[in-house]
Amino acid sequence: MLSFIFLGFLVGILVGLTGVGGGALMTPSLIFFGVEPLTAVGTDLVYATITRVFGVFFHNKKGHVKKDIALKLFTGSVPAIVLASIILRIVSKKEINQYLTLVLGIILVATSTITILKGEFRKRTFSSHTLIILGFVVGLIVQFTSVGAGVIVSFALMNFTDLEPRYVVGTTIFYGLLLASLSALSHITLGNVDYLLALSLIVGTIPGVYMGTHINSSIPKDKLKSFVNMIILGIGLVILLTELG
């Protein structure tokens, strides 16, 4: 169990620091350690929910959570999740995933690379309608591809709005908490959760999230933005290599 505690610690640092990477790292890691895939997903969602509870707590104490933005995103995601579940009864998830995940990987790699090399895109303030639409799109993508919501939302808020990077991180974690808790409930009812494993991960994640949040507050915003974009680039490359491999 020590290896799972350490895994929770490492992922907790990344989530607390950047707001992204939890879903993209934890489920594959659990499967690598021999956990059955469906149990890995359910356990990861429970772990992600608890991780984000602590992440929101630590970031909120520092005033880094824009709850109004997160709630508007979530408002758009709820109907998307319902719609996606209906679509998946008609169309094979595997068929959708094959093309949508590949396109998403290309977009993440291309745009994050441009941002790292060239600098900033045009900045603006997202209206309520734009945030709801973004939440809807993210909800669909997450249901179809299992790619973490934090990656997409962080990228959009970080590069296309005037929101400071540390506020992007705190807000993304709060939005991720709302989304993960909704998804975790369905897996709990289906019995797809290893609670002892989840507890081991959570034991490691509490100090990890605290450390990541503390580092987040001390990094200059330009360096934090670059680091988050590097993480997004890495996740995009992993997605492409997985799909093309």
Side-chain angles (χ1 to χ4, degrees):
M1 284 297 169
L2 284 177
S3 58
F4 291 119
I5 292 174
F6 186 63
L7 178 62
F9 176 72
L10 290 178
V11 175
I13 290 177
L14 190 61
V15 171
L17 176 58
T18 69
V20 304
L25 290 174
M26 184 56 75
T27 297
S29 298
L30 292 177
I31 293 172
F32 176 78
F33 279 113
V35 180
E36 192 269 330
L38 201 56
T39 302
V41 172
T43 303
D44 179 24
L45 284 168
V46 170
Y47 158 79
T49 300
I50 303 301
T51 300
R52 284 165 174 79
V53 167
F54 285 100
V56 169
F57 175 77
F58 293 138
H59 277 280
N60 195 50
K61 282 185 68 176
K62 296 178 180 295
H64 294 165
V65 180
K66 299 288 186 180
K67 297 185 182 69
D68 57 329
I69 293 176
L71 288 171
K72 287 169 186 172
L73 288 166
F74 186 64
T75 298
S77 296
V78 173
I81 291 170
V82 174
L83 176 61
S85 65
I86 296 171
I87 294 173
L88 289 173
R89 294 177 185 272
I90 305 169
V91 184
S92 166
K93 180 176 180 179
K94 186 177 181 181
E95 188 176 334
I96 297 173
N97 188 59
Q98 181 181 356
Y99 299 104
L100 188 57
T101 307
L102 183 61
V103 171
L104 180 63
I106 293 171
I107 291 171
L108 289 176
V109 169
T111 49
S112 57
T113 300
I114 291 169
T115 305
I116 291 167
L117 295 178
K118 187 178 178 182
E120 298 184 344
F121 291 98
R122 182 184 175 189
K123 296 299 184 85
R124 64 179 67 190
T125 300
F126 281 1
S127 67
S128 297
H129 291 102
T130 303
L131 289 169
I132 291 171
I133 292 169
L134 175 61
F136 184 84
V137 172
V138 170
L140 283 178
I141 291 173
V142 169
Q143 288 297 99
F144 289 145
T145 69
S146 302
V147 174
V151 177
I152 308 164
V153 170
S154 284
F155 180 80
L157 296 180
M158 186 80 70
N159 294 294
F160 296 100
T161 76
D162 52 7
L163 202 61
E164 281 195 34
R166 64 190 84 258
Y167 291 102
V168 171
V169 173
T171 302
T172 299
I173 292 174
F174 183 50
Y175 168 67
L177 167 62
L178 298 174
L179 211 57
S181 58
L182 187 64
S183 301
L185 283 174
S186 65
H187 281 272
I188 289 172
T189 57
L190 292 170
N192 294 335
V193 180
D194 183 330
Y195 292 101
L196 183 59
L197 174 57
L199 179 62
S200 299
L201 295 170
I202 291 164
V203 167
T205 205
I206 296 172
V209 171
Y210 177 79
M211 184 178 294
T213 305
H214 180 72
I215 297 171
N216 170 285
S217 299
S218 60
I219 296 179
K221 65 178 183 179
D222 290 340
K223 290 185 178 179
L224 179 59
K225 178 185 171 182
S226 297
F227 183 69
V228 174
N229 274 310
M230 288 293 292
I231 295 294
I232 292 170
L233 173 61
I235 292 171
L237 287 172
V238 169
I239 291 170
L240 286 181
L241 291 173
T242 302
E243 289 301 306
L244 297 174

